[in-house]
Each structure stands twice: as structure tokens, then as C-alpha cells.
């Protein structure tokens, strides 16, 4: 088998070395993106200066070396934390592991610092630490993983804003009829930076065993996203558990939901349960699938085909159909105390430039801004050859 294409990093990323000791931590800045690396069992510190009014999101994409000789375990992964100067966690830390799809591919973890009325920890302005930790089993490949670290800042709301502070407990629970008709051709990217830009509709792609394909679609305030991936039929016989794995990430690369479908050579489809419409108040929920739908912008859909599929059904390209629906009328943005944040590629930007942009709202809606950004996206075709490391399965997540 050949080597897969590497993950495409943001071309504007600044290289920064993580420090073993917090006192040596290099500086990160909100609104920027960085490249780093981490060794097996590594614990790396970085420092970031925060204000006392904005929510802050730090994400880290871990990129293992790709190839058939590389191996990862079920529990291998990374964790991202935001801490104050006393080492206290700001909460909402997140770990990402390979899980039942136990083979090398990009995975993303995140941490959040939320400013809340009556909040107790991490509410003041000043320096904070970003801690990234890696877990790697002794039987896994002992190579450095590349890291892409992104820091986003979201302004607070205007004083006296009437925005609800309680997350919804119910929303439309019936999925719409999936889009049908002639599919448009697309080619998924290797990661977040070259993710193929999709509009609602039906899209056709090809995927090989071991590949991960990334796509993105803009979702506005008040809109509800429905996304599914269909794996085409194939000759051959066998049964592969957790064959087609799907993950949905929000605009700041926080995982919203994940899932899988088995494969026996017959057509299969992986589709999530209906998610809530994008709303500011979703962030007050303790459920990832609710709190993740907290902001308008580009939502990322990652699809991975298990290398085990090649054992039973052959080393070849498999048909992949993506069905994207965005329902609901786009509403106004919340009453931010400043410019409305727009998470995505800006008009005139390029596919590698995905750091948050602050866009004034003078006379135009957030939806208009999103459509301008969509028109400027460039589709970058990326193919990754198949990989076939030993697979280790654990209990799959619900989908």
C-alpha cells in the first residue's frame, strides 16, 4: 500500500515549541494558529493572555504519522486543558481518542474558558496556561505527533442583553427527507484547512480504506443541520464493525457528535439524530451535541473508512455519497458587545486560512457574510492512499 497524503496544515501557522515546565511556556495569541509537536507521554505547556469578557476556545489537532506501518491503540489520544496560574482547570476540558476506529488519522480535542455572571474560576483577565497531554500505549508506534493549535476568542454580549441563559431541552426531532437528485462531484480534504466546501444538497466522492475525508458547510443562527454519509455497495463478502466512522465538529473544532455504521458489502448510511438549531444559549447545556451548536459558521464533517474494509472487500475506491440539509430561516446574531464573530474563510481568503474573522454587521446579515465566504472557498483535491494497520475495536458510540 502507498503512503497517504499528509494533513494540510494552515499555511499561516506559526511554529511554537511546547514547554515541559509551565515557567518556560511559549506565548499563544487569540485569533492565531500554531504548529507544534508532541512525543509519546508528553505534557506540554503554552501560555495565553485572556481578557475578562470573552469566551476563549483552544483546539489542538493531533496528526500521527500516516502509513500502513503505523499503529495506534483504542485509548491513545490527546487532552487539552486551560488552567489558571495555580494550575486549576477552567473546566470544559476535552480529550480525543481513536476509540473503536483504532488506526492513525487526524483527531481534535479542545478546551473552553467561559465567562459567566457569577462564575467562580478563570473569570479574571491575565495569563493562563494551555496544557496538551498525549496518551500512547507501549505497543503503539512511538513517533512524534504533529500538532495544529488554534486559539479563538468570542466577544461577550452587551450589558443587559436578553439572551436566554438556559439551554433548550427539546427541538424538532424528525429528520427531513434526505436530499435526492443528481449528485455533484466533490473531493474531500485531508483535514480542517482543505476541507471541501459544500452547500446543502447531494454530493458524490470516493474513499479508500484507511482514508479520512473532511467537508464543511455553513450553518447560520437559528438553522438546523442534518448530515449523512452513504457508503456504496461492493462485491466480496465479510462483515466489518465500525466500518464507516463519522464525526461532526463545530466552527472552533469542538466535536459535536460522532458515530459509525457496520459494512457487509450492502449499501450503508451513517446519520446523526437531529441536532438543535444553532443558538447562543446552547452553550449552557452539559451535553456535547447541544453545547457544540453554539455559534454560526463552518461546521466540519469528517468521514473515515476503516482499513479493515480492504481485507474483505478489496483495496479500491468506494463510492461515498454525502447528503447535507440546512433547515430553518437564518436569524440575527446575538447582541455581541462588538463585531459579530465569523468563523470561517473570509472573502478574498484562501482555503488554508480558517482562523476566526471579525466582520462588522453594518447593513448586512450574518447569512450574507457566510455566503460571501462560501463563494470564495477553493476546493483543494486531496487523496490519501489506503492504510491497513491492525485494528482494535472497543464499544462503539451511539449514532
Amino acid at each position: 500500500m502507498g503512503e497517504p497524503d499528509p494533513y494540510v496544515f494552515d499555511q499561516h501557522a506559526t511554529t511554537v515549541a511546547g514547554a515541559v515546565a509551565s515557567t518556560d511556556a511559549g506565548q499563544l495569541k487569540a485569533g492565531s494558529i500554531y504548529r507544534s509537536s508532541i512525543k509519546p507521554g508528553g505534557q506540554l505547556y503554552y501560555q495565553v493572555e485572556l481578557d475578562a469578557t470573552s469566551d476563549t476556545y483552544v483546539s489542538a489537532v493531533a496528526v500521527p504519522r500516516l502509513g500502513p506501518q503505523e499503529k495506534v491503540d483504542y485509548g491513545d489520544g490527546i487532552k487539552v486543558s486551560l488552567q489558571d496560574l495555580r494550575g486549576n482547570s477552567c473546566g470544559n476540558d476535552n480529550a480525543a481518542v481513536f476509540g473503536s476506529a483504532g488506526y492513525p488519522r487526524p483527531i481534535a480535542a479542545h478546551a473552553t474558558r467561559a465567562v459567566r455572571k457569577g462564575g467562580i474560576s478563570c473569570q479574571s483577565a491575565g495569563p493562563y496556561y494551555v496544557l496538551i497531554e498525549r496518551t500512547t500505549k507501549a505497543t503503539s508506534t512511538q513517533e512524534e505527533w504533529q500538532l495544529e493549535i488554534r486559539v479563538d476568542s468570542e466577544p461577550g454580549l452587551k450589558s443587559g442583553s436578553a439572551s436566554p441563559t438556559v439551554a433548550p431541552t427539546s427541538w424538532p426531532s424528525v429528520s427531513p427527507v434526505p436530499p435526492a437528485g443528481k449528485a455533484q462531484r466533490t473531493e474531500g480534504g485531508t483535514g480542517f484547512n482543505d476541507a471541501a466546501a459544500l452547500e446543502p444538497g447531494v454530493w458524490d466522492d470516493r474513499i479508500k480504506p484507511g482514508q479520512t475525508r473532511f467537508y464543511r458547510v455553513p450553518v447560520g443562527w437559528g438553522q438546523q443541520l442534518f448530515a449523512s454519509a452513504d457508503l456504496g455497495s461492493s462485491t466480496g463478502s465479510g462483515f466489518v464493525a465500525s466500518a464507516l466512522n463519522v464525526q461532526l465538529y463545530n466552527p472552533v473544532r469542538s466535536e459535536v457528535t460522532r458515530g459509525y455504521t457496520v459494512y457487509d458489502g450492502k449499501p450503508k448510511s451513517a446519520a446523526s439524530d437531529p441536532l438543535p438549531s444553532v443558538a447562543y444559549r446552547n452553550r449552557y447545556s452539559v451535553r456535547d451535541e447541544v453545547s457544540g451548536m453554539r455559534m454560526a459558521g463552518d461546521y466540519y464533517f469528517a468521514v473515515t473508512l476503516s482499513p479493515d474494509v480492504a481485507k474483505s472487500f478489496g483495496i479500491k475506491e468506494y463510492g461515498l455519497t454525502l447528503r447535507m440539509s440546512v433547515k430553518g430561516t437564518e436569524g440575527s446574531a446575538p447582541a455581541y458587545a462588538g463585531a459579530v464573530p465569523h468563523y470561517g474563510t473570509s472573502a478574498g481568503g484562501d482555503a488554508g486560512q480558517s482562523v476566526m474573522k471579525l466582520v462588522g454587521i453594518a447593513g448586512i446579515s450574518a447569512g450574507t457574510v457566510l455566503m460571501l465566504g462560501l463563494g470564495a472557498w477553493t476546493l483543494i483535491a486531496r487523496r490519501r492512499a489506503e492504510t491497513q494497520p491492525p485494528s482494535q475495536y472497543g464499544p462503539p458510540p451511539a449514532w
Side-chain angles (χ1 to χ4, degrees):
M1 298 184 192
E3 288 286 322
D5 288 341
Y7 179 92
V8 172
F9 288 89
D10 190 294
Q11 66 179 14
H12 303 283
T14 300
T15 299
V16 60
V20 175
S22 60
T23 50
D24 300 322
Q27 190 75 27
L28 307 179
K29 294 182 179 180
S32 299
I33 196 161
Y34 300 86
R35 286 192 63 171
S36 193
S37 61
I38 188 169
K39 295 179 179 179
Q43 296 187 10
L44 300 179
Y45 284 92
Y46 309 83
Q47 190 174 136
V48 62
E49 189 86 12
L50 304 183
D51 62 25
T53 60
S54 303
D55 284 358
T56 302
Y57 308 97
V58 180
S59 67
V61 181
V63 185
R65 182 175 295 178
L66 305 175
Q69 74 280 6
E70 307 300 323
K71 181 182 178 182
V72 294
D73 185 72
Y74 177 91
D76 290 355
I78 60 169
K79 179 181 179 180
V80 180
S81 305
L82 262 171
Q83 302 178 349
D84 64 19
L85 297 182
R86 297 181 179 87
N88 299 314
S89 174
C90 294
N92 298 315
D93 302 337
N94 172 264
V97 297
F98 291 99
S100 58
Y103 46 86
R105 65 190 189 280
I107 56 174
H110 71 275
T112 302
R113 190 289 294 263
V115 177
R116 298 286 182 268
K117 184 177 181 179
I120 299 173
S121 62
C122 302
Q123 300 295 294
S124 61
Y128 289 81
Y129 294 121
V130 174
L131 174 62
I132 300 179
E133 303 170 88
R134 173 181 167 183
T135 300
T136 301
K137 195 172 181 179
T139 54
S140 301
T141 304
Q142 303 295 302
E143 299 283 352
E144 277 194 341
W145 290 352
Q146 296 299 302
L147 294 175
E148 185 172 67
I149 305 168
R150 173 170 155 168
V151 183
D152 286 308
S153 180
E154 181 185 26
L157 300 182
K158 293 179 180 178
S159 178
S161 171
S163 178
T165 58
V166 178
T169 57
S170 63
W171 49 86
S173 59
V174 178
S175 298
V177 176
K182 183 176 176 58
Q184 302 178 68
R185 185 75 176 95
T186 189
E187 290 189 78
T190 65
F192 293 95
N193 301 299
D194 64 344
L198 304 183
E199 295 176 327
V202 185
W203 298 84
D204 173 71
D205 200 357
R206 296 291 183 269
I207 191 170
K208 292 181 180 180
Q211 280 189 322
T212 300
R213 313 288 267 165
F214 279 76
Y215 312 88
R216 57 182 172 180
V217 60
V219 186
W221 294 105
Q223 293 186 318
Q224 197 172 12
L225 172 65
F226 301 88
S228 66
D230 302 341
L231 183 62
S233 60
S234 174
T235 57
S237 62
F239 180 86
V240 182
S242 195
L244 190 69
N245 291 270
V246 181
Q247 291 176 283
L248 178 68
Y249 296 91
N250 72 10
V252 291
R253 303 182 180 183
S254 299
E255 184 181 289
V256 178
T257 186
R258 64 169 64 188
Y260 76 96
T261 184
V262 301
Y263 191 61
D264 57 5
K266 298 177 182 178
K268 299 295 178 184
S269 181
S272 70
D273 292 331
L275 298 166
S277 301
V278 172
Y280 189 90
R281 68 175 183 153
N282 289 342
R283 67 193 60 210
Y284 299 106
S285 175
V286 296
R287 298 169 57 186
D288 290 343
E289 67 272 24
V290 179
S291 64
M293 306 300 293
R294 65 175 57 202
M295 58 188 60
D298 305 334
Y299 280 76
Y300 297 87
F301 198 53
V303 181
T304 305
L305 185 61
S306 169
D308 282 356
V309 170
K311 298 177 182 178
S312 298
F313 302 97
I315 303 172
K316 59 187 179 183
E317 289 187 329
Y318 292 77
L320 183 66
T321 301
L322 306 160
R323 303 181 191 275
M324 300 287 175
S325 297
V326 177
K327 300 298 182 181
T329 301
E330 183 175 2
S332 300
Y336 282 109
V340 175
H342 167 53
Y343 300 89
T345 303
S346 62
D350 54 61
Q353 188 174 5
S354 56
V355 176
M356 181 196 77
K357 301 295 180 182
L358 295 179
V359 182
I361 61 172
I364 61 175
S365 69
T368 303
V369 172
L370 288 170
M371 291 309 296
L372 288 172
L374 178 62
W377 286 340
T378 302
L379 299 180
I380 301 178
R382 292 286 173 184
R383 288 290 186 186
R384 291 163 63 185
E386 62 275 9
T387 62
Q388 194 174 354
S391 180
Q392 301 182 21
Y393 293 104
W399 188 256

